[in-house]
Amino acid sequence: MQIGLIGLGRMGGNIARRLIARGRHDVVVYGRNANEVETLGREGATAGSSLKDLVERLAAPRTIWVMLPAGPVTEDHVSELGDLLSSGDTIIDGGNTFWQDDIRRAAELREKGIHYVDVGTSGGVWGLERGYCMMIGGDKAIIDRLDPIFATLAPGIGQIPQTEGRDGRDPRVEQGYLHAGPSGAGHFVKMVHNGIEYGLMQAYAEGFDILKNANMDALPERHRFDLNVPDIAEVWRRGSVISSWLLDLTASALAKSEALETYSGFVDDSGEGRWTVNAAIDEAVSADVITAALYARFRSRKDHTFAEKVLSAMRHGFGGHTEPPSPEPVGQSKNHPTSS
Amino acid sequence: MQIGLIGLGRMGGNIARRLIARGRHDVVVYGRNANEVETLGREGATAGSSLKDLVERLAAPRTIWVMLPAGPVTEDHVSELGDLLSSGDTIIDGGNTFWQDDIRRAAELREKGIHYVDVGTSGGVWGLERGYCMMIGGDKAIIDRLDPIFATLAPGIGQIPQTEGRDGRDPRVEQGYLHAGPSGAGHFVKMVHNGIEYGLMQAYAEGFDILKNANMDALPERHRFDLNVPDIAEVWRRGSVISSWLLDLTASALAKSEALETYSGFVDDSGEGRWTVNAAIDEAVSADVITAALYARFRSRKDHTFAEKVLSAMRHGFGGHTEPPSPEPVGQSKNHPTSS
Amino acid sequence: MQIGLIGLGRMGGNIARRLIARGRHDVVVYGRNANEVETLGREGATAGSSLKDLVERLAAPRTIWVMLPAGPVTEDHVSELGDLLSSGDTIIDGGNTFWQDDIRRAAELREKGIHYVDVGTSGGVWGLERGYCMMIGGDKAIIDRLDPIFATLAPGIGQIPQTEGRDGRDPRVEQGYLHAGPSGAGHFVKMVHNGIEYGLMQAYAEGFDILKNANMDALPERHRFDLNVPDIAEVWRRGSVISSWLLDLTASALAKSEALETYSGFVDDSGEGRWTVNAAIDEAVSADVITAALYARFRSRKDHTFAEKVLSAMRHGFGGHTEPPSPEPVGQSKNHPTSS
Amino acid sequence: MQIGLIGLGRMGGNIARRLIARGRHDVVVYGRNANEVETLGREGATAGSSLKDLVERLAAPRTIWVMLPAGPVTEDHVSELGDLLSSGDTIIDGGNTFWQDDIRRAAELREKGIHYVDVGTSGGVWGLERGYCMMIGGDKAIIDRLDPIFATLAPGIGQIPQTEGRDGRDPRVEQGYLHAGPSGAGHFVKMVHNGIEYGLMQAYAEGFDILKNANMDALPERHRFDLNVPDIAEVWRRGSVISSWLLDLTASALAKSEALETYSGFVDDSGEGRWTVNAAIDEAVSADVITAALYARFRSRKDHTFAEKVLSAMRHGFGGHTEPPSPEPVGQSKNHPTSS
C-alpha cells in the first residue's frame, strides 16, 4: 500500500528500505538530508521535496509515518501535518514519543477527523535485516487497515520457537507486532521495554566490571583472577541462562576490543528510562533496578557531583579527613581509626 | 571416556543422560535416590551402590563429577572422595560451590596428588536438550584430558550465529565451554553469571509489574491502560532489543497463566547473588542493580521487616501518623499536611 | 497581627495555638471539626462559622493561612478563597503542596491582585512547643509584611549553637525561617527536606534491622549477638556522629516497646518523596538513597508484587524450582546445584 | 586509674587528653610520632619510649588502649602486646576493627589469661570537647573494672533530654557508653553505626545536589530556582525533622564555602560500610540505602568504570549511538528515535 515517510535517519531510512524491498509498498519519502532522499529515490522510493509536496503525492486516505527525534522536532512535524492533512488521513508516530503526548495529540487530531497511531519501534540499526518489533496504540479499525505495513516491517516468526499455550491468541503477536491498546499504549509499552533494557544492560555491565576487576592489586593475591572477558561473554551466549541479544552485541564489541577503549564511558539516556521511573512512581511500584540503571547513566556523565563534595565536607567536619584532590588507586580502602 | 557421577537430581541425572546418549561415555552413577540410580541403570549407566563402590568400578586415573547441593553436602562428599581416591585421580565439582572453597579444596587435594576441577554449569533443567554452558577452573593439562566430557555436555555451535573477530581465539568457547583460569575461576565466573541473572530477572520483573499496574484505580482515568501482559512478553521475543532466553521462559509462563497465580511471590536465593555482591565490594565496584535484585528477593520472603516498623514508629513520633494495621489499597497516596 | 487560619488538624490547631500564646496575634479560625473550632475559641481564637464568615471577620488587607491536606482539598479551598478575597489580600498555603501547583496558583491569583505565599512547614506535632522550621516562597514585600507571623511560629535561636561564618547573612535563617525564592520555592525546598527525611529514616531503619537480626539462627553460632536495640538507640544519641532528632524519636519509641509490635510495618508516603525523585530525574541527579527509601515504602504496603511472581515463574522455568507457597524461615539460603 | 595508650593520631591524642584533663587518670602514652609523645608528656602523660617501655611503666593488672588504624597495624600491635603482657592484663582495641577479628583475638588472648575488650568509639575530632560515644564488647567483669575510663571519655548526660520510659535500664547508656555484648559486639554495633552514617550522609548529599541543580539550563525556565544552599542547610537545623549533628557540620562547611570547591568529590570509605553490607547479606536483610551510599563512594573514586564502557558498547551495537568522547553539558537528554 501507499505510505509517506518523514525522517530518514538511522531508523527511518531502513524502514523505507524494508517497506520497499520486502513489501513492494509505494513509499514516498521526505527528509532534511537531500542526499538520503536521493539515495532512497534510487532504491525505489518516491522523493518528496517538502512536507507539503509529500502530502500532495499521496492519495487519500493518506498514511504518513513520522520517524524523527522525539520532542520538539516530532511535535512540530505532527502539528504541521495536522494542518496539511484531511479528515480520514492517518499520522503514525514511530519514534520514542512520551505516551501522554500521544494521548493529547490523538484528541487534537480527532477533532479534525485525522487518525493518530503511536508505534513503539524496537530493533535499532538491525531492523532492516532482522525486522522491527512494534507496539502499537490507536483505534482498531485504523490499525487493521495498516496491517500490510506492520506485517512487512515485523520480523515474522522466523526461527524463533513458538510459545506453547498461545492457541486462540492474536496471531500477529508472533509475527512481532502488537496492538497494545488505545492512543499512547504503543509508546507506553515501548517505554517500559526501554526501561527494562536499561536494567538488563546495567546488569551485564556490572557483571563484566566485576570480572574485569578480579585481578586488582587490592585483592589478596590468592583471590585474584586474570579473566578473559571476551571469551566469557562468548561462552555465555551458548546454553547459559543469561543468553540474549544484548549479550550477543556485547560479545561482538568485546571481540573487537577487550578494553573497549574507544568508548569514553559517558552514557546518554534518551527519555524512556526517566518516564518508566515516573510511571513506576505513579503506580507505587518499586522499580529499584530500572532506577539504579538510570542513575548510573546520570552519574557517568559527570566529573564529580555536588553530592560527593558534601560527603567530603562532612567527613572533614567530623573526622578531619582531607579527601585527596586527585583520586588514589581504587580498591580496598585503608582503615582509619578516626573515621567517626 | 569413563566417568563417575555422584548426585542424580534435576541437574545430575540429565548430565548422565547427555553423556550416555550423545557421547557414548561410560558413566558410573551413584545417588541417594535408589529409584533414580535404577532408572539411569536402565538408560545405560552403570549403577554404583555406594561412594566406595562407585570408586571401585572406575579404572585409574579416575574422574568423578560431583553434582550435589553446594555447601555441606558437597563438602562432605568431596572430603570423603579425597580419602577414597588415589594420586592422579580427578574430582570435578559441577555445582554452585563458593569459589574460595574451590581454592582451599584444590590445595588440600593437591597434597594427595588428586586433581580438582571446578565447573560452573548453566542450563538448568533444559540442559539435557539444549546443552550446558560450562565455566571451568583448574589445571590446563587435566581440563584438556577431560575435553571429551565437556565437548559432549556443551551445546555446540548449533544455530547461534558466530561472533565476528574471534579468529585465533580458543575454539572451545564457541562450543559453549571455557577454561576460565586456575582453581576457583570456573565457579567465580559462574557466580558472576548468576549475579547478572538476578539483575536481568529483576529488570524484566519490574517492567512487567509496571505494565500490570497500568490500569490501577489510583491513576487518572485517561492515563490508564488495560494491557495484555502475555502478548507483550511474546511480542518482545521477536525483533526487540530485549529478547533473551529468560524472556522466552517468561512468555511461556504468562501464556499459561496471565496472573501467575500459582506462584506465591516468595523468591529464594541460592548464594551466588550474595557472593557476587561480596566480590563487588571487595573490588570496590558499584553493583547497584545486582544488589537491588538480591535485596528484592530478601524482602519477598518476609511479611514485614523490623525496618518498616522503625519507619512507622518515627512517623508516629514526629507526625502523629498511625500506620494502619492492615494495608490499604495501594497507589497514589493521600497527602497529609502533618507529614513533617 | 491579624490572621485567618483554615484547617485545624494536628498541624493547624497547634499553629493557631502558638500564634496566640507566643505572639498575641489575633487569630480567626475555621475548620470542619466544630469541636476543634470551639476549643480554639476558648483558647483565644475568634471562631469563624464558614469560609465566608472567616473572610468577613478579617480586616483588609487580609492574610489567610491554609493548613489542609495537599491535593484536592487545599486546591478547592484556595480556589474558593480566590473568589472571596480582594486585591491586596494574601493566601498562605502552609501544607505540603506540589510546588508546580504553587507557581500556577500564584499566577492565577496575581491576576486578581491577590498575593500567594507557599510555606513548607516542618516540625510535626512537636511544633507547638519546639517551633516550626519554615521555607517560604513568594514576593519579598509580602513576606516581609508577614514577618511577625513567621517570627512567632519559628523556633528562634534557642540553645542550638550558631554556625560560624554566617556574618552578613540573613538573620531570619537562624531564627528558623527562610525566604527561599519566588512562588513554589518554599514548597520545593520543603519537598527536598522531606526527600532527605525519607533517606535518613530508611538508613536508621536498615541499621536497626541489621542489629535486630544479629541473633538469627541462620548465622553461625559464634557470629550471633543478642543486642539490646533500645539501649543502642539511646547510646547513639550521646556523642555519636549519627545523633539527630529522628534518632531521639526512635529511641523514645524503642524504650516503650522493644519489638515495636504495635506497628504493622505498613508505611505510607505523602507525595514529597515521589516529587523529590521526579525533580532529581528532571535534573539528571542520581538520588539512589532517596529513591530506595521511597521504594521500600511502596513495597511495605504489599503482600506480594507481580514482579516477585515473575521471578518465581522464571526460576521455575529454568531450574524447575517450585517456590514454596508460604515462606520458610528466612536467612542463609540452601544452595541448589540446579539454580541455573 | 592507670592506663596505657598506644597510637596518638587525631583520635588517640585527644583520648589521652580527655583522660588526663577530666579524669585525672594516670596515662602512659606511646606513639610513632615523637613530637606527639613529647607534647602529651608536657600535658601530663607519662611518655613511653617503646611498646616494651610502655608495658613496663604500667603496674599489673595492666590496661592498654590501642588506638591505631584498623587492619595490619592494629593486628601487629595487639599481637606484640599479647607477647609482652601477662595473665590478668587487658588490651582495649578502640579503633574500627572488623568484629570477627575481635572474636578471634579474644579467644587467642584468653588462652594466655589476657583480657580483650573491643570499643567502637564515635565522636571524631570533636570527642575531646564533646565526649566519645562508646560501644563496648567483652567480659562484664573487666568492663565493669574499666568503668572509670569509660565514664571519663563518655559525654555524660549534658543537655541532651532524657528519653522517657528508660527507668530500670542500664544508666551508663545515658552517659554515652554501652556494654553491647561479648567480644566483637562493640565493633559490630559501631560498624552498623557507621553503615547508618553512610546512609544519612548520602541522603543529605543527594538532597543538597537536587537543590544545587534546581537552576540548571535544561529545566524549563519557569521551573528553575536559584537557591541559597548554605541558608537552607542552616534553617533546617532549627525546628525541622531532619536536624542532626551531621547537618550542623554541613551547614558549617557551606557557610565557609557555598560551592565546597576545596573538595575534589573523591570520597573514601573505611571498611565499616562494606562490613555492614556483608552483615546485612548474611542476615538476608535488605539494606538498600546503606549499600547505595557505599556504592556512591566507590563510584566517586573513578574516572569512568568498565561497566559504563560496556553500556556504551551495547548502545553502539543496537542503535549506532556513538557516545561522545568528552561529556556534554548534563541534563535533559535529547531524544533519539534510534535509541532502540
Side-chain angles (χ1 to χ4, degrees):
Chain A
M1 61 185 286
Q2 196 188 43
I3 187 166
L5 184 76
I6 296 170
L8 306 176
R10 278 172 298 200
M11 292 285 278
N14 283 346
I15 284 175
R17 284 182 183 92
R18 190 167 170 106
L19 287 170
I20 294 164
R22 302 225 177 187
R24 313 273 167 208
H25 296 289
D26 174 9
V27 184
V28 186
V29 300
Y30 171 68
R32 215 174 38 176
N33 183 329
N35 282 346
E36 184 69 7
V37 175
E38 199 184 336
T39 303
L40 278 163
R42 279 196 305 270
E43 297 182 33
T46 304
S49 61
S50 69
L51 217 56
K52 188 158 179 296
D53 178 57
L54 176 138
V55 169
E56 286 167 359
R57 286 173 186 273
L58 295 170
R62 300 171 192 84
T63 302
I64 298 182
W65 183 298
V66 179
M67 201 67 201
L68 290 166
V73 178
T74 292
E75 187 69 28
D76 291 350
H77 281 77
V78 168
S79 173
E80 198 174 336
L81 284 174
D83 293 336
L84 293 169
L85 294 178
S86 311
S87 179
D89 291 348
T90 299
I91 300 173
I92 301 170
D93 179 356
N96 276 325
T97 288
F98 181 46
W99 58 276
Q100 294 184 13
D101 288 335
D102 293 317
I103 295 174
R104 174 182 48 75
R105 286 183 198 157
E108 289 167 4
L109 292 167
R110 190 173 296 125
E111 297 193 1
K112 302 181 180 179
I114 300 173
H115 307 291
Y116 180 86
V117 174
D118 53 289
V119 180
T121 315
S122 184
V125 292
W126 296 78
L128 173 57
E129 171 194 330
R130 198 175 174 246
Y132 298 94
C133 175
M134 286 166 291
M135 300 138 257
I136 309 166
D139 292 343
K140 183 175 185 311
I142 302 307
I143 290 165
D144 285 349
R145 186 159 65 76
L146 298 172
D147 193 74
I149 298 296
F150 298 130
T152 301
L153 291 176
I157 289 197
Q159 296 186 347
I160 297 171
Q162 286 184 266
T163 300
E164 275 185 53
R166 286 195 50 82
D167 303 337
R169 289 182 178 273
D170 185 346
R172 292 174 298 183
V173 172
E174 291 190 326
Q175 302 293 328
Y177 60 111
L178 166 75
H179 181 198
S183 288
H187 281 142
F188 185 91
V189 173
K190 175 58 160 52
M191 170 192 80
V192 175
H193 166 280
N194 283 28
I196 293 172
E197 180 190 298
Y198 280 45
L200 301 180
M201 289 170 70
Q202 182 69 17
Y204 286 116
E206 291 175 9
F208 285 115
D209 211 351
I210 296 169
L211 295 174
K212 189 78 171 181
N213 286 286
N215 66 350
M216 72 189 313
D217 291 346
L219 298 170
E221 196 169 345
R222 69 186 187 287
H223 284 171
R224 281 182 222 158
F225 296 111
D226 272 311
L227 298 170
N228 186 321
V229 175
D231 277 0
I232 293 171
E234 181 64 29
V235 83
W236 285 345
R237 298 179 62 221
R238 303 180 173 278
S240 99
V241 169
I242 64 173
S243 60
S244 72
W245 192 57
L246 284 165
L247 180 63
D248 294 348
L249 298 172
T250 309
S252 177
L254 288 166
K256 291 194 194 91
S257 154
E258 180 156 355
L260 300 175
E261 64 273 334
T262 59
Y263 300 99
S264 65
F266 172 101
V267 189
D268 211 346
D269 78 285
S270 53
E272 302 86 9
R274 300 174 182 218
W275 305 330
T276 303
V277 175
N278 291 340
I281 289 176
D282 285 344
E283 299 177 10
V285 164
S286 300
D288 299 89
V289 154
I290 293 174
T291 311
L294 177 66
Y295 287 165
R297 293 193 181 189
F298 288 171
R299 180 60 189 81
S300 81
R301 304 203 295 262
K302 296 179 184 173
D303 183 22
H304 269 292
T305 66
F306 187 64
E308 291 160 3
K309 298 185 180 202
V310 172
L311 295 179
S312 286
M314 285 191 203
R315 281 168 55 80
H316 188 245
F318 64 71
H321 305 283
T322 310
E323 304 288 1
S326 59
E328 288 179 5
V330 172
Q332 295 281 11
S333 202
K334 289 100 17 213
N335 295 299
H336 308 285
T338 50
S339 80
S340 62
Chain B
M1 62 185 285
Q2 195 188 43
I3 188 167
L5 184 76
I6 296 170
L8 306 176
R10 280 171 297 200
M11 291 284 278
N14 283 347
I15 283 175
R17 283 183 184 91
R18 191 166 169 106
L19 286 171
I20 294 164
R22 303 225 175 186
R24 311 275 167 207
H25 297 290
D26 174 10
V27 184
V28 185
V29 299
Y30 171 67
R32 214 174 40 177
N33 182 329
N35 281 346
E36 185 68 8
V37 175
E38 200 184 334
T39 302
L40 278 164
R42 279 196 304 271
E43 296 181 35
T46 304
S49 61
S50 70
L51 217 57
K52 188 156 178 298
D53 179 57
L54 177 138
V55 169
E56 286 168 357
R57 285 173 185 274
L58 296 169
R62 300 172 190 85
T63 302
I64 299 181
W65 184 298
V66 178
M67 202 67 202
L68 290 166
V73 177
T74 292
E75 186 69 28
D76 291 349
H77 281 76
V78 169
S79 173
E80 199 174 335
L81 284 174
D83 293 337
L84 293 170
L85 293 179
S86 311
S87 179
D89 293 347
T90 300
I91 300 173
I92 300 170
D93 179 357
N96 276 325
T97 287
F98 181 46
W99 58 276
Q100 295 185 12
D101 288 336
D102 293 317
I103 295 174
R104 174 181 48 75
R105 285 182 199 159
E108 289 167 2
L109 291 166
R110 188 172 297 125
E111 299 194 359
K112 301 181 181 180
I114 301 173
H115 307 292
Y116 179 87
V117 174
D118 54 289
V119 181
T121 315
S122 185
V125 292
W126 296 78
L128 173 56
E129 174 193 327
R130 200 175 172 246
Y132 298 94
C133 175
M134 285 166 291
M135 298 137 257
I136 308 167
D139 293 342
K140 183 173 184 311
I142 303 305
I143 290 165
D144 285 349
R145 185 159 65 76
L146 297 172
D147 194 74
I149 298 296
F150 298 130
T152 300
L153 291 176
I157 289 197
Q159 297 185 346
I160 297 171
Q162 286 183 265
T163 300
E164 274 185 52
R166 287 195 49 81
D167 302 339
R169 289 182 179 274
D170 184 347
R172 292 175 297 182
V173 171
E174 291 190 325
Q175 303 292 328
Y177 60 109
L178 167 74
H179 181 197
S183 289
H187 281 142
F188 186 91
V189 173
K190 175 58 161 49
M191 170 193 80
V192 176
H193 166 281
N194 282 29
I196 293 173
E197 180 190 298
Y198 279 46
L200 301 179
M201 290 170 69
Q202 183 67 18
Y204 285 117
E206 289 174 11
F208 284 115
D209 210 351
I210 295 169
L211 295 173
K212 188 79 172 181
N213 285 286
N215 66 350
M216 71 189 315
D217 290 347
L219 298 170
E221 196 169 346
R222 69 186 186 288
H223 284 172
R224 280 182 224 159
F225 297 112
D226 272 312
L227 299 170
N228 185 323
V229 175
D231 276 1
I232 292 171
E234 181 63 30
V235 84
W236 285 345
R237 297 179 63 219
R238 301 177 175 281
S240 99
V241 169
I242 64 171
S243 60
S244 72
W245 192 57
L246 283 165
L247 181 62
D248 294 347
L249 297 173
T250 309
S252 177
L254 287 164
K256 291 194 193 91
S257 156
E258 182 157 354
L260 300 175
E261 62 274 334
T262 59
Y263 299 99
S264 65
F266 172 102
V267 190
D268 211 346
D269 78 287
S270 51
E272 300 86 11
R274 301 175 181 215
W275 305 329
T276 304
V277 175
N278 291 340
I281 290 175
D282 285 343
E283 299 177 8
V285 164
S286 300
D288 298 89
V289 155
I290 293 174
T291 311
L294 178 66
Y295 287 165
R297 293 193 181 190
F298 288 170
R299 180 60 189 81
S300 81
R301 303 203 294 262
K302 297 181 183 172
D303 184 21
H304 270 293
T305 65
F306 187 64
E308 291 161 3
K309 298 186 181 201
V310 171
L311 295 178
S312 286
M314 286 191 203
R315 280 169 54 80
H316 188 245
F318 64 70
H321 305 283
T322 310
E323 304 288 1
S326 59
E328 287 179 5
V330 172
Q332 295 281 9
S333 200
K334 289 100 20 214
N335 295 300
H336 308 285
T338 50
S339 78
S340 63
Chain C
M1 60 185 287
Q2 194 188 44
I3 188 165
L5 183 77
I6 296 169
L8 307 175
R10 279 172 296 201
M11 292 284 278
N14 283 347
I15 284 174
R17 283 182 185 92
R18 190 167 171 106
L19 287 171
I20 294 163
R22 301 225 176 186
R24 311 275 167 208
H25 297 288
D26 173 10
V27 185
V28 186
V29 300
Y30 170 67
R32 215 173 39 177
N33 183 329
N35 281 346
E36 184 68 9
V37 176
E38 199 183 334
T39 303
L40 278 162
R42 279 197 305 270
E43 297 181 34
T46 306
S49 61
S50 69
L51 217 56
K52 188 159 179 296
D53 179 57
L54 176 138
V55 170
E56 287 167 357
R57 286 173 184 274
L58 296 169
R62 299 169 192 86
T63 302
I64 300 183
W65 184 299
V66 180
M67 201 66 200
L68 290 166
V73 177
T74 293
E75 186 69 29
D76 290 351
H77 280 77
V78 169
S79 173
E80 200 174 336
L81 284 174
D83 294 336
L84 293 170
L85 293 178
S86 311
S87 181
D89 291 348
T90 299
I91 300 173
I92 300 170
D93 179 357
N96 276 323
T97 287
F98 181 47
W99 58 276
Q100 295 185 11
D101 288 337
D102 294 316
I103 295 174
R104 173 182 48 75
R105 285 182 199 158
E108 288 167 3
L109 291 167
R110 189 173 297 125
E111 297 193 0
K112 302 182 181 179
I114 301 172
H115 307 291
Y116 179 85
V117 174
D118 53 289
V119 180
T121 316
S122 184
V125 292
W126 296 78
L128 173 56
E129 172 194 330
R130 198 175 174 247
Y132 299 93
C133 175
M134 286 167 291
M135 299 138 258
I136 309 167
D139 293 343
K140 182 174 184 311
I142 303 306
I143 291 165
D144 285 349
R145 185 159 62 78
L146 298 172
D147 194 73
I149 298 295
F150 298 130
T152 301
L153 291 177
I157 288 197
Q159 297 186 347
I160 297 171
Q162 285 184 266
T163 300
E164 274 185 52
R166 286 195 50 82
D167 301 339
R169 292 184 176 272
D170 185 346
R172 292 175 296 182
V173 171
E174 292 191 325
Q175 303 292 328
Y177 60 111
L178 167 75
H179 180 197
S183 290
H187 280 142
F188 185 91
V189 174
K190 175 58 159 50
M191 169 193 80
V192 175
H193 167 279
N194 282 28
I196 293 172
E197 178 190 300
Y198 279 46
L200 301 180
M201 290 170 71
Q202 183 68 19
Y204 285 116
E206 290 176 9
F208 285 115
D209 210 350
I210 295 169
L211 295 174
K212 190 77 170 182
N213 284 285
N215 66 351
M216 71 189 316
D217 290 346
L219 297 170
E221 197 169 344
R222 70 186 184 287
H223 284 171
R224 281 182 222 157
F225 296 111
D226 273 312
L227 299 169
N228 186 322
V229 175
D231 276 0
I232 293 170
E234 181 63 29
V235 85
W236 286 345
R237 297 178 64 220
R238 301 178 175 280
S240 99
V241 169
I242 64 172
S243 59
S244 72
W245 192 56
L246 283 165
L247 180 64
D248 293 348
L249 298 173
T250 309
S252 178
L254 287 165
K256 290 193 193 91
S257 154
E258 180 157 355
L260 300 175
E261 63 274 333
T262 59
Y263 299 99
S264 65
F266 172 101
V267 189
D268 212 346
D269 77 286
S270 52
E272 302 85 12
R274 300 175 182 218
W275 306 329
T276 304
V277 175
N278 290 340
I281 289 176
D282 286 344
E283 299 177 8
V285 164
S286 300
D288 298 88
V289 154
I290 293 174
T291 311
L294 178 65
Y295 287 166
R297 292 193 181 189
F298 287 171
R299 180 59 189 82
S300 82
R301 305 203 294 263
K302 296 180 184 173
D303 184 19
H304 270 292
T305 66
F306 187 63
E308 291 161 1
K309 297 186 180 200
V310 171
L311 295 179
S312 286
M314 285 191 204
R315 281 169 54 80
H316 188 244
F318 65 69
H321 305 282
T322 310
E323 304 289 0
S326 60
E328 288 177 5
V330 172
Q332 294 281 7
S333 202
K334 287 104 14 216
N335 294 300
H336 309 285
T338 51
S339 79
S340 63
Chain D
M1 59 187 286
Q2 194 189 43
I3 187 166
L5 184 76
I6 297 170
L8 306 175
R10 278 172 296 203
M11 292 284 277
N14 283 346
I15 284 175
R17 284 182 184 90
R18 191 167 171 105
L19 286 171
I20 295 164
R22 302 224 176 189
R24 312 276 167 206
H25 296 288
D26 173 9
V27 184
V28 185
V29 300
Y30 171 67
R32 215 173 37 177
N33 184 329
N35 282 346
E36 184 69 9
V37 175
E38 199 184 337
T39 304
L40 278 163
R42 280 195 304 270
E43 297 181 35
T46 305
S49 60
S50 69
L51 217 56
K52 188 155 178 296
D53 179 58
L54 176 138
V55 169
E56 286 168 0
R57 285 172 186 275
L58 296 169
R62 302 170 189 85
T63 302
I64 299 181
W65 183 299
V66 180
M67 202 66 199
L68 290 166
V73 178
T74 293
E75 186 70 27
D76 290 351
H77 281 77
V78 169
S79 173
E80 199 174 336
L81 284 173
D83 292 337
L84 293 169
L85 294 178
S86 311
S87 180
D89 292 348
T90 299
I91 300 173
I92 300 171
D93 179 357
N96 276 325
T97 288
F98 181 46
W99 58 276
Q100 294 185 12
D101 288 336
D102 294 317
I103 294 174
R104 173 181 49 75
R105 287 182 199 158
E108 288 167 4
L109 291 167
R110 189 172 297 124
E111 298 194 359
K112 303 182 181 180
I114 300 172
H115 307 291
Y116 180 87
V117 174
D118 54 288
V119 180
T121 315
S122 185
V125 293
W126 296 77
L128 172 58
E129 173 192 330
R130 200 176 173 244
Y132 299 94
C133 174
M134 286 166 290
M135 299 137 257
I136 308 166
D139 293 343
K140 184 174 184 311
I142 303 305
I143 291 164
D144 285 350
R145 185 159 64 79
L146 298 171
D147 195 73
I149 298 296
F150 298 129
T152 300
L153 291 177
I157 288 196
Q159 295 186 349
I160 297 170
Q162 286 184 266
T163 301
E164 274 186 52
R166 287 195 50 82
D167 302 338
R169 291 184 178 272
D170 184 348
R172 292 175 296 183
V173 171
E174 292 190 325
Q175 303 291 328
Y177 60 110
L178 166 75
H179 180 197
S183 288
H187 281 142
F188 185 91
V189 174
K190 175 58 160 51
M191 170 192 80
V192 175
H193 167 280
N194 283 28
I196 292 172
E197 180 190 298
Y198 279 46
L200 301 179
M201 289 170 70
Q202 182 68 17
Y204 286 115
E206 290 175 8
F208 284 114
D209 210 352
I210 296 169
L211 296 173
K212 188 80 171 178
N213 284 285
N215 66 350
M216 71 188 315
D217 291 346
L219 297 170
E221 196 170 344
R222 70 187 185 288
H223 283 171
R224 280 182 224 158
F225 296 111
D226 272 312
L227 299 170
N228 186 322
V229 175
D231 276 1
I232 293 171
E234 181 63 30
V235 85
W236 285 345
R237 297 179 64 220
R238 302 179 175 281
S240 100
V241 169
I242 64 172
S243 59
S244 71
W245 192 57
L246 284 166
L247 180 63
D248 294 348
L249 297 174
T250 309
S252 177
L254 288 165
K256 292 193 193 92
S257 155
E258 180 156 356
L260 300 176
E261 63 275 333
T262 59
Y263 299 99
S264 65
F266 172 100
V267 190
D268 211 346
D269 78 286
S270 52
E272 302 84 13
R274 302 175 181 217
W275 306 329
T276 304
V277 175
N278 290 340
I281 289 176
D282 285 343
E283 299 177 9
V285 164
S286 300
D288 298 270
V289 155
I290 293 173
T291 311
L294 177 66
Y295 287 166
R297 294 193 180 188
F298 288 171
R299 180 61 188 80
S300 81
R301 304 203 294 262
K302 296 179 185 175
D303 183 22
H304 271 292
T305 65
F306 186 64
E308 290 161 3
K309 299 188 179 198
V310 171
L311 295 179
S312 286
M314 285 191 203
R315 280 169 54 81
H316 187 246
F318 64 71
H321 305 281
T322 310
E323 304 288 1
S326 60
E328 288 178 6
V330 172
Q332 294 281 7
S333 201
K334 289 101 18 214
N335 295 299
H336 308 285
T338 50
S339 80
S340 61

